[in-house]
Amino acid sequence: MNDNDTPHEGPFRQLVDEQLELAASRLPTLVPGVAHPSPVDHEERTAPHATFEDVLLGNAEPSPEMLEELAALQAAPELSEEELARQALADGGADNDPSTPE
């Protein structure tokens, strides 16, 4: 059926128009303050925490907690090779097998 075949007036068209008007009359009227509450009316999502990679790439600013953690890591004493080996041998790894240290 194309536009030339479609009746523009008639009983079917009238029925469709009546049904659309009936449906529209049953829709609630939206008040802007109710349909779209202000940010005060609900909790705002906080921004996700920046990762170290984001900071290095310049996509985010480091948080004070991140700066404190980095300062603590820099202030920590370096581990000797013996200490690193002892820690590796003490950890059985994911399979908890001491014969295959991680």
Side-chain angles (χ1 to χ4, degrees):
M1 205 183 252
N2 58 30
D3 282 343
N4 295 337
D5 298 339
T6 306
H8 295 286
E9 298 298 326
F12 181 72
R13 174 68 181 235
Q14 184 179 0
L15 177 66
V16 169
D17 288 341
E18 288 173 0
Q19 292 299 316
L20 288 173
E21 287 177 20
L22 180 63
S25 69
R26 290 184 180 170
L27 290 175
T29 304
L30 298 179
V31 178
V34 175
H36 303 287
S38 70
V40 178
D41 295 336
H42 61 279
E43 292 181 20
E44 291 290 325
R45 289 184 178 179
T46 58
H49 298 290
T51 64
F52 188 65
E53 183 178 301
D54 291 335
V55 173
L56 287 177
L57 294 174
N59 296 333
E61 293 294 321
S63 66
E65 294 85 11
M66 184 183 290
L67 293 175
E68 288 175 15
E69 187 176 345
L70 287 173
L73 288 173
Q74 287 177 340
E78 287 191 35
L79 298 178
S80 65
E81 291 295 321
E82 292 82 22
E83 176 62 18
L84 289 173
R86 185 196 66 73
Q87 288 181 9
L89 291 172
D91 185 11
D95 60 358
N96 207 18
D97 184 1
S99 65
T100 59
E102 301 297 315

